[in-house]
Amino acid sequence: MPLRDPRLGCKGISPAYEKPDHQRRSPEDNLTLWQFMSVSWMSPMIAIGSTRQLDDEDVWQLSLQFQHRILHDKFRELGGSVVRRLLVANGLDLVILSCLGILEAFSNFAGPVLLQQLLRAMQNTLAPRSRAVTFAVLSLLVRLIACQSSVFSLWYSRRSYERSRGEMITMLYEKTLSRQIVGESALSDTLKPSDEELNYAISDSDVVIESQGAARTTLKKVRKFGRSLRSLVWSRSPSQLKKQPASIGKIYNLMRYDAYEVAQRFWEFQTIIRVPLSLVLSIVLVWKLIGWPCLFGIVTVIVAQSVNVLITRILLQYERERRQVTDGKLKKVTQYVGAIRHLRWYGWQDFWQAQIMRARQQELRLFVITGLWRTMINVANYLASGLFPVAAFYAYTALAGQPLRVDVAFPALQLFAMLENSLRNVPNLITVLLNANIAVGRIEDFMVEPDKDDAITPSYPTKSVLMLQDASFVWPGTAHYVLRNISLELPIGLTVICGKVAAGKTALLQALLGELEQRGGNVVLPNEVVGYCAQTPWIQSMSIRENVLFISPYVETRYRQVLDACALTQDLATFKHGDLSNVGENGIGLSGGQKARVALARAMYSRAKILFLDDPLSALDHQTAEIVVSKCLCGPLTEGRTIILVTHRTSLCSNVAKQVVEISNGSARVIDRDMLPMDERPNPTSPSLAEEPKQDGKNATDESTSPEKFTEDEKRVHGGVKAAVYWEYIKAGKLRWWAVLILALALHRLVGLGETWFLKKWGEAYDRPVTSVVSASLFDDLPSPELDIQPWLLGFFSLAVLQAFVFFLGNCIMIVIIYYAGRQMFRDVIIRVSHATFRFYDVTPLGRLMNRLTSDIGTVDGNISQQFEDVAFLAITWISSIVIIASVTPLFLVFSFALTASFVMIFLRFLPTSQSLRRLEMVSLSPLMSNFGALLDGLTTVRAFHAQSSFQDRIIVVTDAFQKMDHFYWSLQAWLMYRFDALSACSTFLLTLLALYTGVSPGLTAFVLVAASGFVDSTHALCKRYGQLQMDFVSVERVVELLHLEQEPPGSVDPPARWPSYNGDIVFEDVTIRYAPHLDPSLTGISFRIPAGSTTALLGRTGSGKSTLALSLLAIMKPETGRILIDNIDISKVNTQALRSRVTFLAQEPVLFPGSMRQNLDPLDEHADDACDAVLQRIGGSHNWTLATEIEAGGKNLSQGQRQLVGLSRAILRRSAIVILDEVSNLSWIGVLVGGFLADINGWMDKATASIDAETAMDIQAILREELKESTVITIAHRLEAVKDADFFIRLEEGELKACGPVGESNASMDG
């Protein structure tokens, strides 16, 4: 391998031409020079791809110089800014690319010089034909050199691109692991614009003229728009919005877009050298060809670039704004996808769709604006490149008096074309560099965000491993104190932390973990692993065993001991594969209690000497909690450990604690254990009742067996992209606009041919008689240029302006098509995802769905329409070139067909393998997105366990897997390019010989050669563009797959307005339900009647089908047989939106959304502010909430108890006739049931004090009894004590009805 680092090892390299093997590295590490030059080492993979679809096992590992473990380790050792580190890490490639760029520039500009010599040799009748053939051979050699240089350039540019992209991805991930977590309430403070920014901000209302507005109002708006425009052009501040800490959406954007934007510049680094050099060379050669008249043309370039400077400043401003809007849209999409189940349970998905579409519309609006400014830049350059020859030829003929003959006109035309290309690339280069500068700035801002403070190791003797002395803390990014003047010593043993809701218990653990900002005092924190169990359990999509082990090695004895201590043994026995059973993202497939115990087991299994347990007992029933306390918190697993337990159930564990700390209003004090109620005692002999395994409607044992893989593998389509996919995109862009675009492209090609033919006639007109002749063909009626040059100059000018206008028209149409296609496809995808079956959410990882909604939609928004336009234009060029050349030399038809067949054969060999690699690349990108999402959700847990290096290793493996597909795809492109370029060079040489030996005139020969060059280039480019279009349409294909998701039946019956009434019974008639056709039934032959207005307990052990039955009342799954009636209407036929908006399901962990408290309580704005405020004050009055209180995504700025209070407020506000309470007996904030089966006040009050004070508990009890007294209340429960005052009960066992009836008559049946 040329210039390969000799220090890299040579073992494990696959020999060239052997079958690819995923266990061996790429042959690139050990190639001969010829194998590298010809890219022939890709042949074995191409052979496999031609016969079948490639799989991951068919793709080599990356060579060592591309593997990210090596790259990341080297990159992180470099100092300085991100740009400096990237330049140092990839400097050698950039030097090589610079040299290759210079070589290619000189090779490309040798073409016009040799063409001029060839035409002069043909015009000189005394010169031998061999002289012309010699120049043709030289032209062939120059093109072959350029061909080989292009292969080298592609390889080295891809190496710098892939390595820089990988270096940034792993760098961003590492930064995410270490950065300080900033809440969104802190972010909102940074988003407030200054007064000056408000004055100059442009809104839609600034440009809308109200129908009743006066002329004065209109004039003010025009002036305001003018000031805004001036501020955009001349403002020194490039951003209207202040810098802010990165949100989740922005981090996704940095990884998926900004890192790509910067890396792309390394791929195109050669253009930074080649484009300016090409511009200089083209001007020099034009000067040499026509002399000083070229200065007149250069003036047009200078004017155009001056205009572009102003346009670019405006474009840059809008581009920054567009990226920020895209961040916001991604943030909304991420939150929506993560909470979509809960949104659909409440019937709120349409409201969120509207929010997302508003953000999308704002993004598309800015896309159109930036697209129009880019079009203005392109048109300015296109017009300048068209007027360059007009001005130059005017000076050359009218002022200098020189004849514009064929040997001058056509080489000049070729040089003008190159100059035109250079002029187009210069502003594009400036624009992309400015965009890259924006991206770099965003990455740099992220990289300089403050990191989490390291732990402080004690420097003096102390008996306690954890100590705080007069310490105060605030949440990062805010000035609000959450803990004040805390002085605590936390010795070895169990310390119980208690306190009211939102008192600061979780904040204390966060402070001890170093996640809060310290504002005074002293803190002693050992820098070692902490076994952390978060209040909201963080469960990864993997097996239960892998979740428990986390980063620790497997030790059988200890592992079994931990499972037993955490009361998981009996639960795991119900799973077919036991602890090897897989769970979905966020623990889908486990109940709330099971997730809490798995997280607890992870902390207990670790070898950490310090354990922080944030309320793991809240989700457990009494018997299970007793076992956990007696075996886990009192057993041998706790010896020598410092355990900090946050809990409301102090009476259960305070007698085994060394000390009890009460948190109140951000202050802490150690209290006497004798002051706490002690009626709940840990009893190791109490039987464990496992909770209902809940998977939002599907539990891990309702289907009898747990699947081998909880999530389905991502599907890959085989073969080429189907015509139906293209048709979907074309329809989305509107057929009428595509038709107009094709007409514009045809007109553009026609005008271009007319310009070439006009130059031919102009050059030959000098040889005509001076006297006028009868017009024989187009332009023959013009006077000789020797007599009057003005008509020729005016004609050439008119054609140049017309071509620029058509170019502008085509670009505007493309913007319209992209707008319509992007809007339509995104809207349709969001709607289809929002109404998919719930089974789809169970088996589809969040990262995979986000990949399609971000990366693939980004491709739809990108240059895919440009690819379509290029293919159409190249097809028109190809057809027109054949017609033109065949009309002059009919023999060319035979040659053209043979040439086309050669191109097609090579292309068809390339296409299947490239499609397979492209699809593998897109599939392998999903785990990268999933890993980022998993990290952001569990970052505190990862850092507590000191697992950063493990997760960094994981992202490196995932990045390698993704990058290798991309690498070999572009290696395949190099294989194709080498063969296409070589064939194009040989074809042009043969066409030149064909023209030389057919005896046509020099002018016609030049015209034919230009057309022939267009034919060869268009054939070449058509295959490449079509291949690229196929690759890009893999993303469209993946989006279209979402458009064909199985949809939940919406229901055909619109129920009466007052349905269901408070007097309507719930009836199950021989109901059988299964989640999927291949799964066993979750409920079988269920029949019962729930009386209206009753309070019903739904009982049963793990896997009995309780959650399935409860969620079937929301029509989450429809009965396979039988029917479910609510108030005498079959709900399988009822409009699902109406059903879910009238039946309330209160989840154990309510999902909150970013926005105000008002928006969280009633996002559909169905209730008056007074009603919302009344409910809020009754439930959460002690927390000083108002309707304007800001809530972060997921309610992260609220405690778990506060989030549940908000969920309760929602349920009371809706006042539904049917209320379903999911495992409410386990809720941490109340600990009792509602309605008619609330425990008597004496027995209940002691439990209530485990979470809230007695006065608040009594108030909530009264509110619940009052508000739900007429409702039919169904509650999932585990034990008789929780429902001893219920009116009705239902007991399930293994999906069948075991018993049901009034409680008073069937106590024996309730006991089971």
Side-chain angles (χ1 to χ4, degrees), residues 881-907:
S881 298
I882 287 182
V883 172
I884 292 170
I885 301 173
S887 63
V888 178
T889 55
L891 182 61
F892 173 77
L893 279 177
V894 178
F895 175 78
S896 65
F897 289 138
L899 178 62
T900 302
S902 300
F903 274 115
V904 171
M905 287 176 61
I906 296 173
F907 178 71

Side-chain angles (χ1 to χ4, degrees), residues 41-187:
W41 57 274
M42 284 292 296
S43 299
M45 187 177 291
I46 295 172
I48 296 175
S50 300
T51 57
R52 62 174 174 83
Q53 183 90 345
L54 289 178
D55 295 315
D56 185 67
E57 292 75 15
D58 300 316
V59 183
W60 296 291
Q61 294 180 15
L62 287 169
S63 67
L64 290 179
Q65 56 193 322
F66 288 93
Q67 290 185 9
H68 292 87
R69 177 76 274 167
I70 299 173
L71 296 175
H72 177 69
D73 290 343
K74 291 182 178 179
F75 190 75
R76 68 200 307 266
E77 293 175 0
L78 301 175
S81 66
V82 173
V83 173
R84 182 185 181 280
R85 294 162 66 189
L86 289 171
L87 291 174
V88 172
N90 300 279
L92 177 61
D93 288 340
L94 302 184
V95 172
I96 294 173
L97 288 171
S98 299
C99 297
L100 291 172
I102 294 172
L103 176 62
E104 286 184 41
F106 279 100
S107 298
N108 291 334
F109 281 93
V113 175
L114 293 172
L115 175 62
Q116 182 187 31
Q117 298 301 319
L118 174 66
L119 294 176
R120 285 180 177 175
M122 291 182 65
Q123 283 184 320
N124 187 356
T125 56
L126 300 179
R129 185 175 294 173
S130 59
R131 179 178 176 83
V133 173
T134 300
F135 288 115
V137 171
L138 290 174
S139 298
L140 172 63
L141 292 176
V142 168
R143 293 198 63 172
L144 289 176
I145 292 172
C147 164
Q148 192 63 71
S149 177
S150 297
V151 172
F152 292 156
S153 295
L154 179 59
W155 195 88
Y156 284 106
S157 62
R158 284 300 302 179
R159 185 169 76 167
S160 62
Y161 168 78
E162 291 170 21
R163 298 207 298 191
S164 60
R165 180 177 63 177
E167 287 160 351
M168 282 186 287
I169 289 175
T170 54
M171 174 192 72
L172 290 171
Y173 196 85
E174 185 177 47
K175 176 63 179 182
T176 304
L177 283 165
S178 64
R179 72 188 280 263
Q180 196 175 62
I181 301 175
V182 180
E184 292 182 21
S185 58
L187 297 184

Side-chain angles (χ1 to χ4, degrees), residues 69 204 274 292 300 360 455 486 567 651 659 694 703 734 810 942 1012 1038 1098 1164 1214 1239-1240 1262:
R69 177 76 274 167
D204 293 336
R274 192 180 65 242
W292 61 265
T300 63
R360 172 65 169 171
I486 302 292
S651 57
Q659 69 175 356
K694 176 174 65 67
E703 55 185 86
K734 307 298 181 185
V942 171
R1038 288 158 55 83
L1098 185 54
L1164 303 187
R1214 286 165 67 113
D1240 65 288

Side-chain angles (χ1 to χ4, degrees), residues 936-1003:
L936 293 172
D937 290 338
L939 181 56
T940 303
T941 302
V942 171
R943 297 204 288 218
F945 279 85
H946 287 201
Q948 293 97 319
S949 61
S950 176
F951 273 73
Q952 188 69 36
D953 292 342
R954 183 191 297 183
I955 202 68
I956 285 172
V957 171
V958 171
T959 306
D960 275 345
F962 158 66
Q963 290 263 62
K964 77 173 185 178
M965 303 304 174
D966 191 38
H967 173 75
F968 292 115
Y969 166 75
W970 283 100
S971 297
L972 191 63
Q973 287 281 358
W975 178 91
L976 177 72
M977 184 175 68
Y978 177 76
R979 282 146 186 80
F980 269 19
D981 286 353
L983 184 59
S984 297
C986 295
S987 302
T988 304
F989 173 69
L990 293 176
L991 283 171
T992 304
L993 293 181
L994 189 65
L996 287 174
Y997 286 93
T998 51
V1000 297
S1001 67

Side-chain angles (χ1 to χ4, degrees), residues 190-194 196-198 200-202 228 231-232 235 237-243 317-318 320-321 324:
T190 67
L191 295 175
K192 297 177 181 178
S194 65
E196 181 181 356
E197 289 164 345
L198 288 173
Y200 290 123
I202 300 177
S228 302
S231 71
L232 286 172
S235 175
S237 178
S239 177
Q240 288 182 345
L241 296 179
K242 299 179 181 179
K243 293 181 180 179
Q317 183 66 35
Y318 278 113
R320 289 181 186 275
E321 185 179 353
Q324 291 172 339

Side-chain angles (χ1 to χ4, degrees), residues 697-699 701-704 1071-1076 1079-1084 1086 1103-1106 1108-1109 1117 1292-1296:
K698 173 191 176 307
N699 57 58
T701 56
D702 277 351
E703 55 185 86
S704 297
V1071 172
T1072 297
I1073 291 176
R1074 70 176 80 224
Y1075 286 94
L1079 300 178
D1080 294 332
S1082 299
L1083 295 176
T1084 305
I1086 301 294
S1104 60
K1106 301 188 301 298
T1108 302
L1109 189 149
M1117 67 292 294
L1292 300 177
E1293 187 173 306
E1294 296 182 355
E1296 297 181 352

Side-chain angles (χ1 to χ4, degrees), residues 722-732 735 868 1033:
K722 303 296 186 293
V725 175
Y726 289 101
W727 181 242
E728 287 281 357
Y729 183 80
I730 291 172
K731 285 193 301 181
L735 294 177
F868 243 130
F1033 258 82

Side-chain angles (χ1 to χ4, degrees), residues 154 180 277 479 485 747 760 776 781 851 858 949 985 1122 1233:
L154 179 59
Q180 196 175 62
L277 180 60
N485 306 322
L747 180 60
K760 168 191 173 295
D781 55 347
N851 184 21
S949 61
L1233 299 180

